[in-house]
Short mmCIF file of all heavy atoms in Angstrom, two decimals:
data_model
loop_
_atom_site.label_atom_id
_atom_site.label_comp_id
_atom_site.label_asym_id
_atom_site.label_seq_id
_atom_site.Cartn_x
_atom_site.Cartn_y
_atom_site.Cartn_z
N ALA A 711 0.87 -1.23 0.00
CA ALA A 711 0.01 0.03 0.04
C ALA A 711 0.87 1.27 0.01
O ALA A 711 0.51 2.24 -0.73
CB ALA A 711 -0.94 0.02 1.15
N ALA A 712 1.99 1.21 0.77
CA ALA A 712 2.90 2.40 0.76
C ALA A 712 3.53 2.57 -0.59
O ALA A 712 3.70 3.69 -1.03
CB ALA A 712 3.81 2.19 1.87
N LYS A 713 3.90 1.49 -1.20
CA LYS A 713 4.56 1.54 -2.45
C LYS A 713 3.68 2.19 -3.57
O LYS A 713 4.19 3.00 -4.38
CB LYS A 713 4.98 0.18 -2.95
CG LYS A 713 5.75 0.09 -4.32
CD LYS A 713 6.14 -1.31 -4.61
CE LYS A 713 6.91 -1.40 -5.98
NZ LYS A 713 7.23 -2.74 -6.20
N TYR A 714 2.43 1.86 -3.53
CA TYR A 714 1.48 2.37 -4.51
C TYR A 714 0.71 3.58 -3.97
O TYR A 714 -0.34 3.96 -4.60
CB TYR A 714 0.60 1.26 -5.03
CG TYR A 714 1.44 0.27 -5.88
CD1 TYR A 714 1.86 -0.86 -5.32
CD2 TYR A 714 1.69 0.56 -7.21
CE1 TYR A 714 2.63 -1.74 -6.07
CE2 TYR A 714 2.46 -0.24 -7.97
CZ TYR A 714 2.89 -1.41 -7.36
OH TYR A 714 3.61 -2.32 -8.15
N GLU A 715 1.06 4.12 -2.83
CA GLU A 715 0.51 5.23 -2.23
C GLU A 715 -1.05 5.09 -2.04
O GLU A 715 -1.79 5.96 -2.36
CB GLU A 715 0.82 6.53 -3.07
CG GLU A 715 2.30 6.84 -3.06
CD GLU A 715 2.64 7.95 -4.05
OE1 GLU A 715 1.72 8.55 -4.69
OE2 GLU A 715 3.78 8.36 -4.04
N LEU A 716 -1.46 3.99 -1.48
CA LEU A 716 -2.87 3.81 -1.23
C LEU A 716 -3.15 4.20 0.19
O LEU A 716 -2.40 3.93 1.08
CB LEU A 716 -3.18 2.33 -1.44
CG LEU A 716 -3.07 1.73 -2.81
CD1 LEU A 716 -3.32 0.20 -2.84
CD2 LEU A 716 -4.02 2.41 -3.78
N PRO A 717 -4.35 4.79 0.48
CA PRO A 717 -4.73 5.09 1.92
C PRO A 717 -4.96 3.82 2.65
O PRO A 717 -5.24 2.79 2.05
CB PRO A 717 -5.98 5.94 1.66
CG PRO A 717 -6.48 5.73 0.27
CD PRO A 717 -5.36 5.28 -0.55
N ALA A 718 -5.00 3.93 3.95
CA ALA A 718 -5.12 2.81 4.82
C ALA A 718 -6.36 2.05 4.64
O ALA A 718 -6.32 0.76 4.63
CB ALA A 718 -4.97 3.15 6.23
N PRO A 719 -7.54 2.71 4.42
CA PRO A 719 -8.70 1.97 4.26
C PRO A 719 -8.69 1.04 2.93
O PRO A 719 -9.21 -0.08 3.01
CB PRO A 719 -9.86 3.00 4.03
CG PRO A 719 -9.32 4.20 4.73
CD PRO A 719 -7.80 4.15 4.59
N LEU A 720 -8.01 1.54 1.90
CA LEU A 720 -7.90 0.73 0.69
C LEU A 720 -6.83 -0.42 0.84
O LEU A 720 -6.94 -1.52 0.23
CB LEU A 720 -7.57 1.51 -0.52
CG LEU A 720 -8.69 2.36 -0.99
CD1 LEU A 720 -8.23 3.16 -2.25
CD2 LEU A 720 -9.89 1.53 -1.39
N ALA A 721 -5.88 -0.19 1.73
CA ALA A 721 -4.77 -1.25 1.99
C ALA A 721 -5.45 -2.45 2.54
O ALA A 721 -5.04 -3.53 2.28
CB ALA A 721 -3.78 -0.63 2.87
N LYS A 722 -6.48 -2.24 3.38
CA LYS A 722 -7.13 -3.40 3.97
C LYS A 722 -7.85 -4.23 2.93
O LYS A 722 -8.17 -5.44 3.15
CB LYS A 722 -8.05 -2.91 5.13
CG LYS A 722 -7.50 -2.28 6.27
CD LYS A 722 -8.47 -1.71 7.22
CE LYS A 722 -7.82 -0.87 8.33
NZ LYS A 722 -8.90 -0.29 9.23
N ARG A 723 -8.23 -3.63 1.89
CA ARG A 723 -9.08 -4.28 0.87
C ARG A 723 -8.29 -5.00 -0.18
O ARG A 723 -8.81 -5.50 -1.14
CB ARG A 723 -10.00 -3.29 0.23
CG ARG A 723 -11.05 -2.70 1.22
CD ARG A 723 -11.90 -1.73 0.62
NE ARG A 723 -12.81 -1.10 1.50
CZ ARG A 723 -14.00 -1.60 1.82
NH1 ARG A 723 -14.44 -2.70 1.20
NH2 ARG A 723 -14.75 -0.89 2.66
N LEU A 724 -6.95 -4.99 -0.14
CA LEU A 724 -6.08 -5.63 -1.09
C LEU A 724 -6.42 -7.10 -0.98
O LEU A 724 -6.48 -7.67 0.09
CB LEU A 724 -4.60 -5.29 -0.88
CG LEU A 724 -4.22 -3.89 -1.25
CD1 LEU A 724 -2.73 -3.67 -0.83
CD2 LEU A 724 -4.35 -3.56 -2.69
N SER A 725 -6.45 -7.70 -2.21
CA SER A 725 -6.62 -9.16 -2.17
C SER A 725 -5.48 -9.82 -2.91
O SER A 725 -4.91 -9.39 -3.88
CB SER A 725 -8.01 -9.54 -2.85
OG SER A 725 -7.97 -9.07 -4.26
N GLY A 726 -5.21 -11.11 -2.46
CA GLY A 726 -4.12 -11.82 -3.06
C GLY A 726 -3.33 -12.49 -1.92
O GLY A 726 -3.34 -12.09 -0.79
N THR A 727 -2.62 -13.56 -2.31
CA THR A 727 -1.81 -14.31 -1.32
C THR A 727 -0.38 -14.00 -1.42
O THR A 727 0.40 -13.99 -0.43
CB THR A 727 -2.04 -15.79 -1.36
OG1 THR A 727 -1.81 -16.17 -2.79
CG2 THR A 727 -3.50 -16.16 -1.03
N THR A 728 0.12 -13.72 -2.70
CA THR A 728 1.52 -13.42 -2.91
C THR A 728 1.67 -11.97 -3.10
O THR A 728 0.78 -11.16 -3.38
CB THR A 728 2.10 -14.15 -4.11
OG1 THR A 728 1.40 -13.68 -5.29
CG2 THR A 728 1.79 -15.70 -3.97
N LYS A 729 2.97 -11.53 -3.08
CA LYS A 729 3.32 -10.17 -3.24
C LYS A 729 2.89 -9.72 -4.63
O LYS A 729 2.45 -8.53 -4.84
CB LYS A 729 4.78 -9.95 -2.96
CG LYS A 729 5.24 -8.46 -3.00
CD LYS A 729 6.65 -8.29 -2.61
CE LYS A 729 6.94 -6.78 -2.72
NZ LYS A 729 8.37 -6.52 -2.30
N ALA A 730 3.16 -10.54 -5.62
CA ALA A 730 2.84 -10.15 -7.04
C ALA A 730 1.30 -9.94 -7.24
O ALA A 730 0.92 -8.95 -7.85
CB ALA A 730 3.31 -11.19 -7.97
N GLU A 731 0.47 -10.79 -6.59
CA GLU A 731 -0.94 -10.61 -6.66
C GLU A 731 -1.37 -9.36 -6.00
O GLU A 731 -2.26 -8.64 -6.44
CB GLU A 731 -1.65 -11.86 -6.01
CG GLU A 731 -1.48 -13.11 -6.83
CD GLU A 731 -2.00 -14.32 -6.09
OE1 GLU A 731 -2.43 -14.15 -4.87
OE2 GLU A 731 -2.11 -15.44 -6.69
N LEU A 732 -0.77 -9.10 -4.82
CA LEU A 732 -1.11 -7.84 -4.10
C LEU A 732 -0.73 -6.57 -4.92
O LEU A 732 -1.47 -5.58 -4.88
CB LEU A 732 -0.48 -7.79 -2.72
CG LEU A 732 -1.04 -8.84 -1.67
CD1 LEU A 732 -0.12 -8.91 -0.45
CD2 LEU A 732 -2.47 -8.49 -1.25
N GLU A 733 0.44 -6.63 -5.54
CA GLU A 733 0.82 -5.48 -6.32
C GLU A 733 -0.06 -5.26 -7.50
O GLU A 733 -0.30 -4.17 -7.88
CB GLU A 733 2.32 -5.65 -6.69
CG GLU A 733 3.29 -5.41 -5.58
CD GLU A 733 4.72 -5.52 -5.95
OE1 GLU A 733 5.02 -5.84 -7.15
OE2 GLU A 733 5.55 -5.09 -5.13
N ALA A 734 -0.47 -6.25 -8.12
CA ALA A 734 -1.35 -6.16 -9.30
C ALA A 734 -2.69 -5.60 -8.72
O ALA A 734 -3.25 -4.63 -9.47
CB ALA A 734 -1.63 -7.58 -9.92
N ASP A 735 -3.26 -6.06 -7.60
CA ASP A 735 -4.50 -5.41 -7.14
C ASP A 735 -4.26 -3.99 -6.78
O ASP A 735 -5.12 -3.11 -7.01
CB ASP A 735 -4.89 -6.29 -5.99
CG ASP A 735 -6.30 -5.93 -5.53
OD1 ASP A 735 -7.14 -5.52 -6.45
OD2 ASP A 735 -6.65 -6.06 -4.29
N ALA A 736 -3.09 -3.70 -6.27
CA ALA A 736 -2.85 -2.29 -5.77
C ALA A 736 -2.75 -1.41 -6.98
O ALA A 736 -3.22 -0.23 -6.91
CB ALA A 736 -1.48 -2.23 -4.99
N LYS A 737 -2.16 -1.87 -8.11
CA LYS A 737 -2.11 -1.11 -9.32
C LYS A 737 -3.51 -0.72 -9.79
O LYS A 737 -3.74 0.38 -10.28
CB LYS A 737 -1.33 -1.80 -10.41
CG LYS A 737 0.13 -1.87 -10.18
CD LYS A 737 0.85 -2.69 -11.33
CE LYS A 737 2.24 -2.83 -11.03
NZ LYS A 737 2.99 -3.66 -12.09
N GLU A 738 -4.43 -1.73 -9.71
CA GLU A 738 -5.79 -1.53 -10.20
C GLU A 738 -6.45 -0.49 -9.30
O GLU A 738 -7.19 0.42 -9.75
CB GLU A 738 -6.53 -2.84 -10.18
CG GLU A 738 -6.07 -3.78 -11.22
CD GLU A 738 -6.30 -3.25 -12.65
OE1 GLU A 738 -7.36 -2.65 -12.96
OE2 GLU A 738 -5.37 -3.48 -13.46
N LEU A 739 -6.25 -0.58 -7.99
CA LEU A 739 -6.87 0.40 -7.11
C LEU A 739 -6.27 1.72 -7.28
O LEU A 739 -6.97 2.71 -7.20
CB LEU A 739 -6.68 -0.04 -5.65
CG LEU A 739 -7.61 -1.26 -5.16
CD1 LEU A 739 -7.16 -1.70 -3.79
CD2 LEU A 739 -9.03 -0.84 -5.18
N GLN A 740 -4.96 1.79 -7.51
CA GLN A 740 -4.35 3.08 -7.74
C GLN A 740 -4.94 3.82 -8.94
O GLN A 740 -5.11 5.05 -8.90
CB GLN A 740 -2.87 2.93 -7.91
CG GLN A 740 -2.05 4.18 -7.95
CD GLN A 740 -0.60 3.94 -8.21
OE1 GLN A 740 -0.23 3.01 -8.84
NE2 GLN A 740 0.22 4.82 -7.58
N LYS A 741 -5.22 3.10 -10.01
CA LYS A 741 -5.87 3.66 -11.18
C LYS A 741 -7.21 4.34 -10.85
O LYS A 741 -7.55 5.36 -11.43
CB LYS A 741 -6.07 2.62 -12.27
CG LYS A 741 -4.81 2.19 -12.96
CD LYS A 741 -5.09 1.11 -13.90
CE LYS A 741 -3.85 0.40 -14.44
NZ LYS A 741 -4.15 -0.66 -15.40
N LEU A 742 -7.93 3.69 -9.94
CA LEU A 742 -9.24 4.27 -9.55
C LEU A 742 -9.17 5.45 -8.70
O LEU A 742 -10.08 6.31 -8.79
CB LEU A 742 -10.02 3.13 -8.85
CG LEU A 742 -10.36 1.89 -9.68
CD1 LEU A 742 -11.03 0.85 -8.80
CD2 LEU A 742 -11.24 2.19 -10.86
N ILE A 743 -8.17 5.61 -7.91
CA ILE A 743 -8.11 6.70 -7.01
C ILE A 743 -7.14 7.81 -7.47
O ILE A 743 -7.17 8.89 -6.93
CB ILE A 743 -7.70 6.33 -5.61
CG1 ILE A 743 -6.31 5.79 -5.57
CG2 ILE A 743 -8.66 5.30 -5.00
CD1 ILE A 743 -5.64 5.75 -4.18
N ALA A 744 -6.40 7.55 -8.49
CA ALA A 744 -5.43 8.56 -8.95
C ALA A 744 -6.11 9.79 -9.52
O ALA A 744 -7.08 9.56 -10.38
CB ALA A 744 -4.46 7.98 -10.01
N PRO A 745 -5.80 10.93 -9.20
CA PRO A 745 -6.43 12.16 -9.70
C PRO A 745 -6.09 12.29 -11.19
O PRO A 745 -4.95 12.02 -11.56
CB PRO A 745 -5.95 13.25 -8.90
CG PRO A 745 -4.60 12.78 -8.35
CD PRO A 745 -4.77 11.35 -8.18
N SER A 746 -7.06 12.68 -11.93
CA SER A 746 -6.72 12.85 -13.36
C SER A 746 -6.03 14.09 -13.60
O SER A 746 -6.23 15.14 -12.88
CB SER A 746 -8.08 12.86 -14.19
OG SER A 746 -8.94 13.94 -13.75
N ALA A 747 -5.21 14.11 -14.55
CA ALA A 747 -4.34 15.36 -14.83
C ALA A 747 -5.21 16.42 -15.45
O ALA A 747 -6.04 16.01 -16.34
CB ALA A 747 -3.13 14.97 -15.71
N PRO A 748 -5.05 17.67 -15.18
CA PRO A 748 -5.82 18.70 -15.81
C PRO A 748 -5.49 18.85 -17.27
O PRO A 748 -4.36 18.45 -17.66
CB PRO A 748 -5.54 19.98 -15.05
CG PRO A 748 -4.21 19.69 -14.33
CD PRO A 748 -4.16 18.18 -14.18
N GLU A 749 -6.41 19.30 -18.07
CA GLU A 749 -6.15 19.42 -19.53
C GLU A 749 -5.02 20.36 -19.80
O GLU A 749 -4.14 20.07 -20.65
CB GLU A 749 -7.39 19.92 -20.21
CG GLU A 749 -8.56 18.97 -20.23
CD GLU A 749 -9.77 19.54 -20.93
OE1 GLU A 749 -9.63 20.50 -21.69
OE2 GLU A 749 -10.92 19.02 -20.68
N SER A 750 -4.92 21.45 -19.15
CA SER A 750 -3.84 22.37 -19.42
C SER A 750 -3.40 22.98 -18.13
O SER A 750 -4.20 23.32 -17.26
CB SER A 750 -4.43 23.52 -20.30
OG SER A 750 -3.39 24.50 -20.48
#
């Protein structure tokens, strides 16, 4: 969660048994919470 800058409530929701599975899930969650870049 710290590596992908996820807040603590989302860190609890990570699913997977291995580190690779957890990182894949964290990447998906990060896409959902990442602020979109402004147009200009």
Side-chain angles (χ1 to χ4, degrees):
K713 181 177 179 181
Y714 290 97
E715 299 175 352
L716 295 175
L720 285 179
K722 295 176 187 176
R723 298 181 183 266
L724 289 175
S725 62
T727 55
T728 65
K729 185 175 181 177
E731 291 173 352
L732 289 171
E733 285 184 353
D735 193 31
K737 285 179 187 177
E738 292 298 318
L739 284 174
Q740 187 182 33
K741 289 177 188 176
L742 296 174
I743 65 164
S746 59
E749 292 179 19
S750 173

